[in-house]
């Protein structure tokens, strides 16, 4: 290797002060000749998916030094969406994606690191890390820390955090379960470190990261507490040094073909709707033109091959045992693009290495769970620039639905109405002014959606919002409505009692009003006062775009 980025702080007499500071941290003189590898770790005691990362940091470090590099660990913040849910904290979750990308960029550039291992796990942290990797375009590899094990209960029941705890509180409120059953759920839902056990946003993003070739095989599904994850961490540390020596950078991997593969795998598994936001934002940083409609176009030729929790029966541990991401790629082998990976082999070569697939978990394409992929993009006079629904979690009965609007200008107001019995069968709950600008921060609506299911209204009430949903959401819940209410989008013009029609098979979301009536209401609409007027979220609201573009921050 003739030149390294880190030469800017290690070579020449002019860098005497820099070397003095590096030696002060303990770097031996001879080690300054080696590639400097940053380990961007989002370890924190606050997030269950991240509490096990100190162990993985050690194995990454060992791998880096075995590979001939010198490692430096630095911290990246994270927010646990489950803990931030249902209060002011959720305003901060999506915006931290931008902070994370900016922080990784800042440290890598300021310290002239030659390469990065991005140790991550949860919802906004993984996409933030990937955005930074694509933006920096220096050698990077991602290690996602992995899912938790499911909890065990009576009669063989397996508990998962999202599905069980959020729906259990509504079941308790409705008298379906007692306090003892509620406590059993609370005590058993999170038995180990790791991300939530089903195909929620964290695990979906881990799978898509592996699919795109930015992490090693099985990284996306291997359990957080497994020895396999330790070995993957070690191999990733070793590999990044090789990437630096050969100048293999993210934009060589994150091609349009890679994003299309990720979308197909997402659709085939019925993954989180939040991946729409994240893939669009990562593609933008990678310089790849990825339109929102790509999800729908690919969805029509990508059958859903797995029944994954929350909408289905299998958990991440089942998918890993079935063969993980390589097994899904194998079943989709005639539909996916060949593309390079950081491992040094192409996607098709990974497919050829698959020896067996548990087809009870990952079905073949000629025997799908559903004929279409798990995510659908809806449009109409209510969402002219698009809306997103996780159709894999919607019952057949609710694939088409018409109901009367009940409008709420915040998540809190909607939750009060739901818990107070105000919402009844035949309603369409409208939660608005919760988009990227209006929230600000596009809060996740797991509490209202889980409450609908817990109250037994999942097959008789729809919910629409310019906010977003947890990967754990199931039921007829449509999010990302664009333009959002804070921009004067049609969702801001809905009034109580208006008729709203949902038609997922035909990709339609409409309000039964004429253009003239909508225009008249638009003429009277006035932008509300911002919900948050101080701090960095006030600045974020001024520069963030709507969900249809990935809720990215404009540079100008």
């Amino acid at each position: 290797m003739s030149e390294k980025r880190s030469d800017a702080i290690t070579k020449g007499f002019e860098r005497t002060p820099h070397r003095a500071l590096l030696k002060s941290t303990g770097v031996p003189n001879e080690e300054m000749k080696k590639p400097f590898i940053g380990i961007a770790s989002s370890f924190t005691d606050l997030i269950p998916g991240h509490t096990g990362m100190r162990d993985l940091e050690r194995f990454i470090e060992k791998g880096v030094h075995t590979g001939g590099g010198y490692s430096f660990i630095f911290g990246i913040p994270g927010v646990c969406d489950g803990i931030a849910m249902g209060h002011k904290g959720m305003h901060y979750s999506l915006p931290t994606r931008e902070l994370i990308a900016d922080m990784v960029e800042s440290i890598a550039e300021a310290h002239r690191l030659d390469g990065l291992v991005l140790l991550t796990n949860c919802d906004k942290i993984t996409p933030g890390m990937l955005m930074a990797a694509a933006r920096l375009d220096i050698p990077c590899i991602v290690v996602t820390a992995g899912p938790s094990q499911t909890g065990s209960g009576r009669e063989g029941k397996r508990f998962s955090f999202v599905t069980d705890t959020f729906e259990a509180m509504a079941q308790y409120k409705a008298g379906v379960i007692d306090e003892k059953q509620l406590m059993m759920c609370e005590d058993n839902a999170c038995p180990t470190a790791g991300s939530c056990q089903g195909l929620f946003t964290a695990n979906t993003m881990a799978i898509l990261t592996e699919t795109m070739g930015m992490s090693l095989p099985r990284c996306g599904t291997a359990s957080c507490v497994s020895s396999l994850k330790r070995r993957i961490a070690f191999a990733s540390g070793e590999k990044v040094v090789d990437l630096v020596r050969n100048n293999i950078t993210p934009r060589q991997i994150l091609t349009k073909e890679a994003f299309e593969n990720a979308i197909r795998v997402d659709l085939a598994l019925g993954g989180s709707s939040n991946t729409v936001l994240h893939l669009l934002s990562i593609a933008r940083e990678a310089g790849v033109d990825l339109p929102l409609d790509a999800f729908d176009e690919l969805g029509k030729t990508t059958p859903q091959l797995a029944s994954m929790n929350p909408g289905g029966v299998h958990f991440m541990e089942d998918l890993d045992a079935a063969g993980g991401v390589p097994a899904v790629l194998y079943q989709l082998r005639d539909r996916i693009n060949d593309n390079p990976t950081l491992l040094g082999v192409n996607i098709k070569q990974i497919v050829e290495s698959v020896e067996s697939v548990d087809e009870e978990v990952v079905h073949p394409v000629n025997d799908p769970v559903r004929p279409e992929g798990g995510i659908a993009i809806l449009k109409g006079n209510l969402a002219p620039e698009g809306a997103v629904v996780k159709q894999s979690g919607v019952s057949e009965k609710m694939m088409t639905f018409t109901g009367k609007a009940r409008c709420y200008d915040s998540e809190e107001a909607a939750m009060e109405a739901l818990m107070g019995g105000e919402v009844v069968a035949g309603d369409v709950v409208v939660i608005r002014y919760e988009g990227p600008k209006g929230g600000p921060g596009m809060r996740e609506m797991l509490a209202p959606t889980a409450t609908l299911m817990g109250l037994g209204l999942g097959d008789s009430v729809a919910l629409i919002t310019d906010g977003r949903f947890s990967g754990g959401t199931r039921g007829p819940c449509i999010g990302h409505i664009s333009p959002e209410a804070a921009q004067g989008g049609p969702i801001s013009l809905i009034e109580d009692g208006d008729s709203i029609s949902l038609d997922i098979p035909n990709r339609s979301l409409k309000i039964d009003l004429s253009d003239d009536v909508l225009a008249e209401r638009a003429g009277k609409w006035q932008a509300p006062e911002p919900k948050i007027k101080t701090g960095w979220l006030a600045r974020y609201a001024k520069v963030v775009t709507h969900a249809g573009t990935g809720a990215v921050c404009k540079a100008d």
Side-chain angles (χ1 to χ4, degrees), residues 294-316:
F295 289 83
D296 218 45
E297 291 165 4
L298 293 169
K300 291 173 182 175
T301 57
T302 307
Q304 185 185 334
L305 303 181
S307 175
M308 297 290 295
N309 177 273
V313 297
H314 293 119
F315 295 90
M316 286 294 291

Side-chain angles (χ1 to χ4, degrees), residues 231-395:
R231 295 196 296 274
I232 289 170
F234 178 91
S236 298
E238 195 173 26
K239 187 66 182 176
V240 75
V241 184
D242 183 57
L243 298 176
V244 171
R245 291 193 175 115
N246 292 289
N247 196 32
I248 306 298
T249 65
R251 291 195 183 194
Q252 297 169 39
I253 308 299
L254 294 172
T255 64
K256 186 163 189 177
E257 290 76 17
F259 285 102
E260 289 176 348
N261 285 344
I263 292 171
R264 282 204 189 273
V265 168
D266 193 4
L267 293 164
L269 291 174
S272 167
S273 60
N274 282 318
T275 57
V276 176
L277 288 174
H278 301 324
L279 288 177
L280 291 176
S281 64
I282 298 163
R284 180 176 181 268
E285 295 287 359
V288 172
D289 180 21
L290 186 68
L292 177 63
D293 289 341
F295 289 83
D296 218 45
E297 291 165 4
L298 293 169
K300 291 173 182 175
T301 57
T302 307
Q304 185 185 334
L305 303 181
S307 175
M308 297 290 295
N309 177 273
V313 297
H314 293 119
F315 295 90
M316 286 294 291
E317 58 205 52
D318 304 316
L319 180 59
D320 188 53
V325 172
V328 183
L329 293 171
Y330 178 84
Q331 300 293 46
L332 291 170
R333 60 192 178 277
D334 295 329
R335 289 169 166 79
I336 59 170
N337 304 306
D338 203 8
N339 203 63
T341 72
L342 294 179
L343 182 60
V345 298
N346 285 2
I347 291 292
K348 295 285 188 180
Q349 291 173 287
I350 291 175
V351 168
E352 289 168 3
S353 71
V354 175
E355 296 180 357
S356 64
V357 177
D358 182 347
E359 294 193 338
E360 287 188 14
V361 178
V362 186
H363 291 220
V365 293
N366 59 3
D367 180 29
V369 175
R370 289 191 179 190
E372 290 188 350
I375 291 174
I377 306 300
L378 311 182
K379 291 189 176 181
N381 66 349
L382 187 43
E385 296 186 45
V388 178
V389 62
K390 185 175 178 177
Q391 63 174 340
S392 58
V394 182
S395 68

